[in-house]
Amino acid sequence: MHSRPEAADTLIIGAQLYDGTGAAPLPRDVALRDGRIVAIGSLTHWRAEEVVDAGGHALAPGFIDVHTHDDTHVVEAPQMLPKLSQGITTVIVGNCGISASPVVLRGEPPDPMNLLGKRDAFVYPRFADYVDAVNAARPAVNVAALVGHTALRNNQMDRLDRAATRDEIDAMRVQLSEALTAGALGLSTGLAYGSAVCAPTDEVMALAEPLAAARAVYTTHMRTEFDAILDAMDEAYRIGRHARVPVVISHLKCAGPSNWGRSTEVLASLSRARACQPVGCDCYPYSRSSSTLDVKQASGDIDITITWSAPHPEAAGKLLRQIAAQWGVSDAQAARRLQPAGAVYHNMSDEDVRRILSHPATMVGSDGLPNDPLPHPRLWGAFARVLGHYVRHERLLPLEEAIRKMTSLSARRFGLDRRGEIRVGYHADLVLFDPETVRDVASFDDPCRPAQGIDAVWVNGVLAYRDGTPSGARAGGFVVRGQPAGYDAEPY
């Protein structure tokens, strides 16, 4: 007698399987059923409603974008094409101290919360309200969220250019604890921004104290990424030690020409800290950054491209120095006249980017700004750029290591349970791509272009993207915090 063949919803055959752990690829078939991976191997005896022939292409866990500002975008544009089209199946929002929730505004959102939208975008006074909104929107990708320090300050303080009082910190802690109970990943800070730069270290340490009991994480856009970067890193480590929590340094970089080449000592600092406490970082694979327009950086030593300006929309796409020359003013004066505005800063060296990206503790994050009318191309291209430019062309790191930085390392750091690896019982978040053709085509002049070489993307077992076209199926949802590495024996 012949045994009945096993049944699946989807059967992917003939793939080179990269399991996400950094192991070498193996030829494997993968079966999906009810949103999970149910079998891996030579599955010739299986049958399925849908069979996809991978043709020897790479099958990897869906990429996890650990650094996004998609907070409002996942609700307003739930198809999430900028991310889905480059193989991303999970986004982490609430970075750099700014989050869409919990937030109650008294006026327009303070800089840089305006990166997430205008006042009418902030409609989530409780974190649980945001969770409900994400699930109701049914985005095409999964969403996990941090709580922003600046958002909490905005809720509890009459002005942001001072330190919080003890009562204000206590009120922020209550809101943070409520969010952690509702599944938030942890706390993020943006201490370089005017809305948080006046927060002393003690304020952040006190606010971070509830994280350990929840087994959550602390992430930080540090107080500076310029000349005093080592002091800023020491502050991040100190906060983590005080709160007894894992630390993630956001978009680690050596910013400004006077800082170029210092990635060796920056990474040495990171390695020393990692010997004593759980610390990691993320980065994006470009030598230009992007955020709101910062007058302090308008010093004339780097090029700054304006991406938007509320009072002068005609300035978008132009260099700040050209605008300043046209107006007959200094770069700093022009920057003040353009505000509120957004900008791309030509402020890093390729050598530092390569060194930081290749460090084993570094995850990949896009830091894309979906609400920017002329976004940095990292929004559409960051992950494909790692695979095409840095893996295939530059041979900076092996493909399996690049995938690890985009999948299992990220899932373990942030406590995304049963994601980030191709393993039986795990959520069926997968990306199929051609290692020989995958590449980013988004540019600074034409930034909203989908990556090439991405064959198919599954989110929770549902085919969401195939051969350059979204399927229309949206199977993502809110992902609550599990247990991040740093609280157990998992590598960090």
Side-chain angles (χ1 to χ4, degrees), residues 261-305:
R262 294 186 65 200
S263 53
T264 300
E265 58 183 302
V266 164
L267 292 171
S269 168
L270 187 74
S271 295
R272 286 193 299 273
R274 283 168 54 78
C276 307
Q277 64 185 111
V279 182
C281 65
D282 66 70
C283 79
Y284 46 83
Y286 299 85
S287 59
R288 303 182 199 179
S289 65
S290 183
S291 186
T292 52
L293 179 57
D294 179 10
V295 176
K296 294 193 301 294
Q297 295 191 52
S299 56
D301 59 346
I302 60 169
D303 281 339
I304 298 175
T305 304

Side-chain angles (χ1 to χ4, degrees), residues 220-486:
T220 181
H221 176 152
M222 297 185 295
R223 205 170 288 275
T224 184
E225 297 165 331
F226 291 82
D227 293 355
I229 185 172
L230 294 180
D231 293 337
M233 294 176 78
D234 287 342
E235 179 185 39
Y237 308 150
R238 181 184 172 199
I239 292 165
R241 289 195 303 271
H242 173 83
R244 299 177 184 273
V245 297
V247 175
V248 175
I249 296 174
S250 296
H251 44 57
L252 184 61
K253 66 174 72 73
C254 296
S258 63
N259 233 14
W260 292 350
R262 294 186 65 200
S263 53
T264 300
E265 58 183 302
V266 164
L267 292 171
S269 168
L270 187 74
S271 295
R272 286 193 299 273
R274 283 168 54 78
C276 307
Q277 64 185 111
V279 182
C281 65
D282 66 70
C283 79
Y284 46 83
Y286 299 85
S287 59
R288 303 182 199 179
S289 65
S290 183
S291 186
T292 52
L293 179 57
D294 179 10
V295 176
K296 294 193 301 294
Q297 295 191 52
S299 56
D301 59 346
I302 60 169
D303 281 339
I304 298 175
T305 304
I306 303 303
T307 59
W308 61 271
S309 167
H312 294 281
E314 73 281 1
K318 297 179 181 178
L319 289 173
L320 177 63
R321 58 180 169 80
Q322 294 174 333
I323 298 168
Q326 182 182 342
W327 289 349
V329 298
S330 69
D331 286 10
Q333 289 171 319
R336 292 188 188 93
R337 192 182 295 185
L338 289 163
Q339 288 181 315
V344 166
Y345 302 91
H346 306 230
N347 62 354
M348 290 173 266
S349 77
D350 288 331
E351 177 190 358
D352 288 327
V353 172
R354 288 168 57 90
R355 192 173 286 128
I356 291 169
L357 175 62
S358 60
H359 191 279
T362 303
M363 303 172 288
V364 176
S366 72
D367 199 11
L369 302 176
N371 295 310
D372 198 319
L374 188 67
H376 189 302
R378 64 195 182 187
L379 177 68
W380 287 81
F383 285 70
R385 179 170 172 79
V386 172
L387 299 173
H389 180 69
Y390 284 108
V391 171
R392 185 173 67 248
H393 290 154
E394 297 287 322
R395 301 188 182 279
L396 179 66
L397 62 168
L399 180 55
E400 55 265 34
E401 171 64 2
I403 291 172
R404 183 187 72 89
K405 291 171 168 292
M406 301 174 171
T407 58
S408 69
L409 181 61
S410 308
R412 291 172 181 177
R413 282 253 175 91
F414 284 95
L416 306 178
D417 285 349
R418 294 183 174 268
R419 299 187 193 273
E421 297 178 42
I422 299 181
R423 189 186 296 191
V424 171
Y426 274 46
H427 296 279
D429 296 340
L430 301 167
V431 54
L432 180 68
F433 65 94
D434 184 352
E436 297 304 315
T437 63
V438 64
R439 70 186 188 103
D440 63 308
V441 291
S443 66
F444 286 94
D445 293 329
D446 190 7
C448 299
R449 298 182 64 193
Q452 294 179 353
I454 302 294
D455 299 327
V457 182
W458 290 265
V459 179
N460 296 314
V462 175
L463 183 64
Y465 188 81
R466 184 76 186 267
D467 297 329
T469 304
S471 71
R474 305 203 310 262
F478 193 85
V479 177
V480 300
R481 180 190 69 260
Q483 179 169 306

Side-chain angles (χ1 to χ4, degrees), residues 95-132:
N95 285 282
C96 297
I98 60 175
S99 57
S101 69
V103 171
V104 176
L105 294 177
R106 287 175 288 277
E108 288 299 315
D111 186 296
M113 285 177 64
N114 52 5
L115 289 173
L116 304 182
K118 297 181 180 178
R119 183 176 185 177
D120 58 2
F122 294 86
V123 292
Y124 314 110
R126 300 178 310 138
F127 190 84
D129 298 327
Y130 181 71
V131 174
D132 291 344

